[in-house]
């Protein structure tokens, strides 16, 4: 056998070893991938139905425009809620109104253009900031009912303090949650003074 033949055989052996090594690497990668994939699968069906969530209190009224009568130290007024544009907000306040959450709380802010109340702290600092701000194209005209929030973050509103504008307030458009309007008794709203109380809230229709 010539030196050339020896060299050729050596090269062939090296090529065969390299080929076997490549095949083993590929087989190993496939096995690892299969093992990892099977570890990620949960037991039972891969596609499972999401568990049913309990409805929010008052959510049974969200397909209509509920009306709520609010009795105050200066008289009564009625608001009509808008679940079609602020469903989470309406569900939240329907729950509070039905439970009497606002009863005996005051109108702590009264200005020539707005009144604001239902703050458990009574000074504009109470309530939880955990309600999603639901902006819409509905304009804030006289009688519109909205939700208080801090300047930032705009995406989160207060869960108890609501306000009613006494004059057209277009600067609020698209910035605050609009969730209803006074449909009767706006003159009562205009009479409110700081410290006047919310005596009771009554859901008239769902």
């Amino acid at each position: 056998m010539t030196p050339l033949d020896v060299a050729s055989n050596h090269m062939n052996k090296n090529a065969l070893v390299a080929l076997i090594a490549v095949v083993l690497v590929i087989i190993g990668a496939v096995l690892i991938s299969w093992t990892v994939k099977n570890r990620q699968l949960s037991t039972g069906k891969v596609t499972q139905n999401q568990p049913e969530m309990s409805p929010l209190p008052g959510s049974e009224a969200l397909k209509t425009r509920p009306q709520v009568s609010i009795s105050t130290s200066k008289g009564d007024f009625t608001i009509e809620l808008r679940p079609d544009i602020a469903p989470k907000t309406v569900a939240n306040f329907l729950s509070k109104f039905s439970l009497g959450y606002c009863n005996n709380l005051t109108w702590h802010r009264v200005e020539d253009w707005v009144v604001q109340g239902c703050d458990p702290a009574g000074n504009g600092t109470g309530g939880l900031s955990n309600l999603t701000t639901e902006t819409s194209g509905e304009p804030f005209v006289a009688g519109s009912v909205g939700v208080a929030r801090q300047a930032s973050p705009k995406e989160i509103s207060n869960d108890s303090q609501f306000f009613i504008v006494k004059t057209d307030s277009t600067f609020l458009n698209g910035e605050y949650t609009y969730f209803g309007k006074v449909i009767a008794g706006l003159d009562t709203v205009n009479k409110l003074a700081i410290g006047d109380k919310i005596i009771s809230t009554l859901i008239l229709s769902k």
Side-chain angles (χ1 to χ4, degrees), residues 34-137:
W34 181 82
T35 302
V36 172
K37 182 178 180 182
N38 277 298
R39 285 180 179 174
Q40 291 176 339
L41 289 176
S42 58
T43 57
K45 296 180 180 179
V46 176
T47 303
Q48 301 181 28
N49 294 328
Q50 294 293 326
E52 293 186 6
M53 299 295 290
S54 299
L56 287 170
S59 60
E60 71 279 357
L62 297 185
K63 294 181 180 179
T64 64
R65 291 190 179 184
Q67 294 182 4
V68 180
S69 175
I70 298 180
S71 178
T72 76
S73 306
K74 295 291 175 60
D76 302 344
F77 62 89
T78 302
I79 59 175
E80 183 177 72
L81 305 182
R82 293 290 303 275
D84 54 317
I85 57 177
K88 294 179 181 178
T89 302
V90 170
N92 171 74
F93 279 96
L94 274 179
S95 175
K96 284 180 165 52
F97 291 153
S98 65
L99 295 173
Y101 178 93
C102 299
N103 293 3
N104 295 315
L105 298 183
T106 63
W107 299 96
H108 64 274
R109 179 182 181 183
V110 177
E111 299 178 15
D112 59 352
W113 66 279
V114 68
V115 298
Q116 185 170 312
C118 196
D119 174 12
N123 57 12
T125 64
L128 300 177
S129 294
N130 63 359
L131 190 62
T132 302
T133 301
E134 297 177 290
T135 57
S136 67

Side-chain angles (χ1 to χ4, degrees), residues 157-185:
S157 293
N158 192 275
D159 78 326
S160 64
Q161 296 184 48
F162 67 93
F163 63 82
I164 303 168
V165 294
K166 299 189 285 186
T167 61
D168 292 353
S169 306
T170 56
F171 59 92
L172 301 177
N173 294 354
E175 294 290 325
Y176 289 78
T177 299
Y178 173 112
F179 75 104
K181 187 177 181 181
V182 176
I183 58 173

